[in-house]
Amino acid sequence: MRILTGAGGYVPPAGDAPNHYAEHLSVPDLSVGTYSIPSGGVDDQTPHTEDEIYVVTSGRARIVTGDGTADVGPGDVIFVPAGEEHRFVDIAEDLALLVVFAPAYKSRQVNP
């Protein structure tokens, strides 16, 4: 057993970074991290090679995917399949997301 203390808590980006990501756990079949975007900030992520679940722990924003858009806030759970374009926009309050990747983040990437 492992307890991931602090997972899901907002962490402001360092310096001029637009957002912050911290990985808390990585095993072959999944990984867990926290993704933080400040109010008015920019989500500059690209599609991932792994399935992904976001749990909104604090803040409010809108998620945009190929399937449409939705307002999200604390308690919302979002599933994004591998390869799907997605981005958080209109970040109205500092946004903290607990992120679960399956399999582990970047484990399916092919190195050139």
Side-chain angles (χ1 to χ4, degrees):
M1 175 179 68
R2 281 183 63 185
I3 297 174
L4 307 177
T5 304
Y10 179 79
V11 175
D16 292 335
N19 48 56
H20 179 268
Y21 180 75
E23 187 172 72
H24 307 293
L25 172 73
S26 183
V27 295
D29 292 332
L30 68 87
S31 62
V32 177
T34 301
Y35 188 39
S36 300
I37 310 169
S39 176
V42 175
D43 178 6
D44 60 356
Q45 66 179 312
T46 57
H48 311 293
T49 55
E50 304 79 27
D51 290 333
E52 183 174 20
I53 291 176
Y54 292 102
V55 180
V56 182
T57 59
S58 65
R60 298 197 177 279
R62 178 180 298 262
I63 187 167
V64 177
T65 72
D67 291 334
T69 65
D71 292 329
V72 297
D76 288 335
V77 177
I78 306 149
F79 170 70
V80 179
E84 183 174 80
E85 288 274 350
H86 61 287
R87 185 168 279 50
F88 291 93
V89 299
D90 301 331
I91 296 137
E93 300 171 10
D94 291 347
L95 187 64
L97 304 151
L98 187 66
V99 186
V100 179
F101 288 99
Y105 183 52
K106 296 186 178 180
S107 65
R108 290 183 177 168
Q109 287 186 338
V110 177
N111 295 328

